């Protein structure tokens, strides 16, 4: 069905001028990627302290690697840490060596992984559309560059990517390696298809700006450069999070090739046996060394508990209903998630013969769809569920959204009309749902005080949000965005709707999310950093430090001291009693807890000294010398 669309002639002329000046096109593309990368991942990256409890576990284990020089076995708090492989620890330790031990260095590998993935996503989408221009014998720079720009922006600027791209844990590095490997596979697959079809670009053609070099000859012992990059990045994914780094890409690529009936042909092109040697050669040495050094304990902990059991059983209480990831994708890929059903429907993936007859370079849409569905289904089946598990499907979702919007750009140079392959009523319906969703966000923002739960570690956070006026700013922001989208629907300016969603999210990030993060850090994490600084100063060489009732690994990172984490006041009292009743007792013990747990312990005032209180936390010294063995009051 054809729709009338008013295209801004100035924008069209601007993009045509860019196409005629390749150096300018490259410059503008790089500046765009730098801008969205800085907004999403560079701005205030190290201005907020580490967030308990996973981030400081990685940060401290990496610091221990740098301090001890042991780059094989990760340690945290004096104990081995076998949760994840070594690649992120290595990256963070190198960042420490270059930039010092600080929050910025902790998060730098995640931020770089996110920005690198976004840049490769931009390249892949632009390259695919350049090949489409060649096939259609047209030059449509507006479609190429705007679609690639939308793909990069949607990929970079969504809650899920920003949360993990600004956090020093392994999820974003895994996603960066694994999803980049998938994009490299597609580029290798598509360029090999070019050679098989005997197609060559003409020198000086407009689509050469981001073109790939020619693949190797059919008799070459090596796969093309993109397949090689895919193998190297897959090894990186394995070194970041283990077997899932090859299992998920394998499932996606296998499903894609089986669907197209290209399995044998492409596996030959990939030189799969050589690829397996490359992957194993890069990833296995560290696993061999860590198993040689730690034996069965590493195998049981990493492969057994952190891989097999997480898929087959509930680990650490992280269970959820079957629809959990529907909610996660809806909220953490907001506000673009509303258009995902339409973006998938427009592909008509059930028309297998259509896709099998498409040029390889034009199958990126289908590849992204299979990529998205495979990861979604895989983790829906898994018993243990966490929001970060579906992070690797977000780039695929961004590509799907971008290609949905590419339909709204002119299909030729001679017309300002667009042609879409689905009923226009579906686009209207999705857009009105977009309005409803943004309106719901506005209502939720105005009532955020009642929606947020009480946090005893940050008891005044909700009130601080209210006093700062952030709920009001957020509510009006999303209400204005909903109004603009409704106006664009009524005027049928479909191409501008995605811009409103992107702009709304960026303003929300700058005016609401970032100030809220500073407020949360000031109340929840700053007291722990202050307690850590005091602890580092007052701790005596032989003095034990215990933390009672909760686990805050940030204290280990910021104090550089080992902490004995004790989950309950009852067990802590038993531990203190045992120390007090020893024949050779230690002179004292440092206790980190909150006021509630401290009062529950009911210690005798004669036996302790309050050193400092910061926020909800306090540091206390228990003096065993003042205790009498027969009259220790610890009940």
């Amino acid at each position: 069905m054809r729709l009338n669309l008013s295209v801004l002639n100035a924008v069209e002329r601007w993009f045509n001028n860019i196409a005629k000046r390749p150096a300018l096109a490259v410059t503008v593309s790089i500046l765009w990627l730098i801008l969205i990368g800085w907004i999403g991942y560079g701005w205030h990256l190290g201005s907020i302290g580490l967030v308990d409890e996973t981030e400081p576990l990685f940060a401290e284990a990496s610091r221990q690697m740098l301090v001890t020089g042991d780059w094989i076995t990760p340690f945290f708090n004096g104990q081995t840490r076998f949760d994840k492989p070594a690649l992120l620890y290595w990256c963070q330790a190198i960042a420490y060596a270059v930039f010092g031990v600080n929050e910025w260095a902790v998060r730098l590998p995640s931020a770089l992984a996110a920005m690198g993935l976004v840049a490769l996503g931009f390249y892949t989408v632009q390259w695919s559309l350049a090949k489409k221009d060649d096939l259609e014998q047209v030059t449509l720079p507006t479609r190429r560059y705007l679609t690639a720009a939308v793909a990069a922006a949607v990929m970079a600027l969504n809650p899920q990517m920003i949360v993990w791209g600004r956090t020093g844990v392994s999820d974003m590095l895994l996603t960066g390696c694994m999803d980049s490997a998938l994009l490299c596979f597609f580029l290798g697959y598509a360029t090999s298809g070019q050679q098989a079809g005997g197609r060559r670009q003409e020198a000086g053609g407009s689509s050469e700006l981001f073109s790939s070099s020619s693949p190797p000859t059919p008799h070459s012992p090596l796969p093309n450069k993109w397949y090689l990059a895919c193998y190297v990045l897959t090894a990186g994914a394995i070194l970041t999070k283990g077997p899932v780094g090859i299992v998920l890409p394998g499932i996606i690529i296998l499903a894609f090739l089986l669907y197209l009936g290209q399995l044998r042909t492409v596996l030959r092109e990939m030189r799969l046996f050589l690829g397996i040697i490359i992957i194993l050669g890069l990833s296995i040495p560290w696993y061999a060394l860590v198993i040689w050094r730690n034996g069965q304990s590493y195998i049981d902990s990493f492969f057994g508990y952190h891989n097999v059991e997480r898929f087959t059983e509930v680990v650490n209480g992280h269970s959820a209903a079957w629809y959990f990831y529907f909610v996660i994708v809806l909220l953490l890929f907001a506000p673009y998630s509303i258009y995902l059903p339409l973006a998938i429907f427009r592909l008509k993936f059930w028309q297998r013969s259509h896709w099998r007859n498409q040029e390889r370079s034009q199958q990126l849409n289908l590849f992204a769809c299979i990529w998205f569905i495979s990861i979604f289904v895989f983790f829906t089946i898994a018993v243990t569920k966490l929001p970060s598990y579906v992070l690797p499907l977000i780039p695929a979702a961004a590509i799907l959204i971008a290609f949905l919007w590419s339909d709204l750009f002119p299909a030729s140079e001679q017309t300002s009309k667009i042609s879409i392959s689905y009923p226009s009523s579906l686009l209207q319906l999705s857009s009105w749902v977009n309005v409803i969703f943004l309106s719901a966000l506005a209502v939720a923002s105005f009532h955020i005080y009642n929606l947020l739960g009480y946090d005893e570690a940050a008891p005044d956070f909700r009130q601080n949000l209210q006093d700062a006026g952030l709920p009001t700013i957020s509510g009006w922001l999303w209400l204005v965005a909903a109004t603009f989208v409704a106006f664009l629907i009524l005027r049928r300016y479909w191409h501008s709707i995605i811009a409103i969603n992107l702009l709304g999210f960026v303003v929300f990030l700058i005016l609401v999310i970032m100030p809220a993060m500073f407020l949360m850090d000031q109340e929840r994490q700053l007291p722990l950093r202050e307690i850590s600084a005091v602890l580092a100063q007052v701790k005596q060489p032989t003095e034990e430090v215990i933390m009672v009732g909760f686990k805050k690994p940030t204290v280990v990172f910021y104090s550089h001291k080992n902490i004995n984490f004790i989950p309950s006041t009852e067990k802590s009292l038993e531990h203190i009693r045992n120390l007090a009743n020893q024949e050779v007792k230690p002179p004292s013990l440092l206790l980190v807890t909150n006021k509630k747990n401290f009062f529950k312990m009911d210690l005798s005032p004669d036996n302790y000294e309050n050193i400092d209180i910061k926020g909800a936390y306090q540091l206390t010294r228990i003096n065993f010398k003042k205790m009498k063995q027969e009259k220790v009051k610890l009940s």
Side-chain angles (χ1 to χ4, degrees):
M1 180 177 180
R2 304 183 69 84
L3 301 173
N4 289 323
L5 181 66
S6 299
V7 179
L8 297 176
N9 292 329
V11 174
E12 183 72 28
R13 288 195 300 269
W14 189 71
F15 277 101
N16 276 292
N17 289 334
I18 286 179
K20 297 173 183 177
R21 302 171 62 185
L24 178 61
V26 171
T27 301
V28 171
S29 300
I30 292 174
L31 289 176
W32 175 249
L33 293 172
I34 290 174
L35 176 63
I36 61 177
W38 179 78
I39 292 173
Y41 310 104
W43 183 50
H44 285 309
L45 180 64
S47 301
I48 295 172
L50 301 186
V51 179
D52 283 304
E53 70 179 57
T54 307
E55 189 175 34
L57 296 175
F58 282 94
E60 175 61 13
S62 302
R63 191 186 72 84
Q64 286 296 319
M65 274 193 174
L66 183 65
V67 170
T68 64
D70 184 352
W71 295 74
I72 302 301
T73 303
F75 285 90
F76 172 80
N77 203 30
Q79 299 178 337
T80 55
R81 173 171 164 78
F82 293 150
D83 296 44
K84 301 294 182 290
L87 185 56
L88 180 62
Y89 303 128
W90 293 342
C91 292
Q92 289 179 333
I94 292 170
Y96 291 160
V98 176
F99 303 106
V101 180
N102 53 60
E103 293 88 348
W104 192 82
V106 170
R107 294 162 180 157
L108 182 61
S110 295
L112 291 178
M115 288 189 284
L117 175 58
V118 169
L120 184 58
F122 178 96
Y123 173 91
T124 306
V125 171
Q126 198 278 341
W127 181 88
S128 176
L129 289 173
K131 297 305 175 187
K132 184 175 183 178
D133 283 1
D134 288 347
L135 291 171
E136 296 176 351
Q137 296 184 340
V138 297
T139 302
L140 296 175
T142 300
R143 181 176 68 182
R144 291 209 315 269
Y145 290 109
L146 279 183
T147 303
V150 167
V154 171
M155 195 181 298
L157 302 173
N158 63 79
Q160 182 84 313
M161 286 284 286
I162 286 178
V163 166
W164 300 111
R166 302 176 70 95
T167 305
V169 297
S170 60
D171 297 273
M172 183 51 74
L173 186 58
L174 170 70
T175 298
C177 289
M178 187 170 71
D179 289 8
S180 295
L182 288 168
L183 290 173
C184 286
F185 161 79
F186 179 80
L187 288 167
Y189 164 81
T191 53
S192 293
Q194 277 184 269
Q195 187 201 34
R199 287 178 297 273
R200 295 290 185 269
Q201 278 192 318
E202 295 181 3
S206 63
S207 63
E208 283 190 347
L209 173 59
F210 291 102
S211 66
S212 298
S213 62
S214 297
T217 64
H219 303 292
S220 171
L222 296 175
N224 68 44
K225 66 179 183 180
W226 293 112
Y227 284 145
L228 287 172
C230 174
Y231 295 140
V232 173
L233 288 163
T234 300
I238 295 171
L239 282 170
T240 301
K241 222 166 185 180
V244 71
I246 191 171
V247 170
L248 277 179
I251 290 173
I252 294 164
I253 292 171
L254 180 65
F256 177 68
L257 296 179
L258 286 175
Y259 178 89
L260 294 172
Q262 295 263 2
L263 183 60
R264 289 187 178 182
T265 301
V266 175
L267 291 185
R268 284 196 299 268
E269 293 172 3
M270 294 177 70
R271 312 294 192 267
L272 184 61
F273 181 73
L274 176 61
I276 292 173
I277 292 175
I278 293 172
I279 293 171
L280 296 180
L282 292 173
S283 60
I284 290 300
W286 176 81
Y287 283 98
L289 288 171
V290 76
I291 292 172
W292 172 69
R293 182 174 291 182
N294 298 278
Q296 192 65 34
S297 62
Y298 179 81
I299 296 173
D300 293 340
S301 176
F302 178 71
F303 291 104
Y305 180 75
H306 289 289
N307 282 273
V308 177
E309 289 189 26
R310 280 182 181 270
F311 190 82
T312 59
E313 302 175 19
V314 176
V315 172
N316 295 332
H318 297 307
S319 62
W322 63 269
Y323 53 82
F324 176 71
Y325 289 122
F326 286 94
V327 177
I328 292 300
V329 172
L330 173 66
L331 297 180
L332 296 187
F333 190 56
Y336 329 107
S337 51
I338 297 302
Y339 295 97
L340 274 174
L342 179 58
I344 294 174
F345 173 80
R346 67 174 281 278
L347 300 181
K348 299 180 180 178
F349 57 85
W350 53 89
Q351 296 179 357
R352 190 181 180 203
S353 59
H354 164 76
W355 286 105
R356 294 183 69 173
N357 291 325
Q358 289 287 310
E359 293 290 335
R360 287 188 179 187
S361 61
Q362 303 312 299
Q363 294 170 347
L364 179 57
N365 253 321
L366 176 68
F367 183 64
C369 180
I370 293 175
W371 171 356
F372 179 91
I373 293 173
S374 297
I375 293 178
F376 191 92
V377 171
F378 182 87
F379 285 113
T380 297
I381 294 172
V383 178
T384 299
K385 289 180 171 60
L386 285 170
S388 62
Y389 285 179
V390 291
L391 175 62
L393 62 73
I394 296 298
I399 291 171
L400 290 171
I401 294 297
F403 274 101
L404 171 67
W405 244 261
S406 73
D407 290 344
L408 305 180
F409 301 128
S412 72
E413 298 172 279
Q414 287 76 33
T415 179
S416 63
K417 294 183 177 182
I418 62 171
S419 179
I420 58 177
S421 60
Y422 50 87
S424 61
S425 58
L426 294 180
L427 179 60
Q428 294 176 5
L429 176 61
S430 297
S431 300
W432 282 116
V433 173
N434 189 183
V435 173
I436 295 171
F437 183 77
L438 296 179
S439 302
L441 289 179
V443 173
S445 298
F446 286 125
H447 295 87
I448 196 68
Y449 186 93
N450 298 321
L451 294 175
L452 286 178
Y454 177 79
D455 184 355
E456 62 180 18
D460 299 324
F461 177 65
R462 294 185 299 174
Q463 189 58 50
N464 290 339
L465 280 180
Q466 291 290 117
D467 295 342
L470 298 183
T472 302
I473 295 173
S474 176
W476 281 109
L477 168 64
W478 291 121
L479 196 58
V480 169
T483 303
F484 269 104
V485 172
F487 170 78
L488 294 173
I489 295 171
L490 295 175
R491 296 299 301 270
R492 294 181 177 269
Y493 291 159
W494 306 109
H495 59 292
S496 300
I497 291 176
I498 193 67
I500 296 299
N501 281 278
L502 277 166
L503 182 61
F505 181 80
V506 170
V507 175
F508 177 67
L509 174 66
I510 294 172
L511 297 184
V512 180
I513 293 297
M514 197 57 68
M517 291 301 298
F518 278 109
L519 289 176
M520 175 60 81
D521 177 70
Q522 186 174 11
E523 187 167 357
R524 203 172 193 271
Q525 296 299 138
L526 178 60
L528 287 168
R529 297 198 296 274
E530 294 174 337
I531 283 287
S532 301
V534 176
L535 172 61
Q537 293 177 352
V538 304
K539 182 184 180 299
Q540 299 170 6
T542 60
E543 202 168 30
E544 182 186 16
V545 183
I546 66 172
M547 182 176 287
V548 178
F550 48 82
K551 185 177 182 179
K552 302 293 183 181
T554 48
V555 179
V556 178
F557 176 79
Y558 286 109
S559 69
H560 297 177
K561 307 296 181 184
N562 289 341
I563 307 291
N564 183 5
F565 297 104
I566 301 179
S568 66
T569 56
E570 292 79 11
K571 290 185 178 180
S572 68
L573 290 172
E574 181 181 353
H575 179 73
I576 295 172
R577 185 183 300 112
N578 291 337
L579 292 176
N581 292 332
Q582 290 178 356
E583 288 189 16
V584 182
K585 65 186 71 175
S588 60
L589 174 146
L590 287 175
L591 169 67
V592 180
T593 188
N594 56 26
K595 298 173 184 177
K596 177 182 176 181
N597 286 324
F598 182 78
F599 287 126
K600 284 175 65 177
M601 293 177 71
D602 194 23
L603 299 173
S604 172
D606 296 332
N607 296 333
Y608 69 84
E609 169 196 1
N610 279 328
I611 297 176
D612 209 342
I613 297 177
K614 301 292 184 182
Y617 307 100
Q618 67 182 71
L619 178 64
T620 304
R621 173 172 279 125
I622 298 176
N623 196 327
F624 290 112
K625 292 181 178 179
K626 295 181 180 180
M627 293 183 180
K628 294 182 179 180
Q629 185 169 346
E630 67 278 9
K631 295 183 179 180
V632 175
K633 182 183 179 184
L634 295 171
S635 58

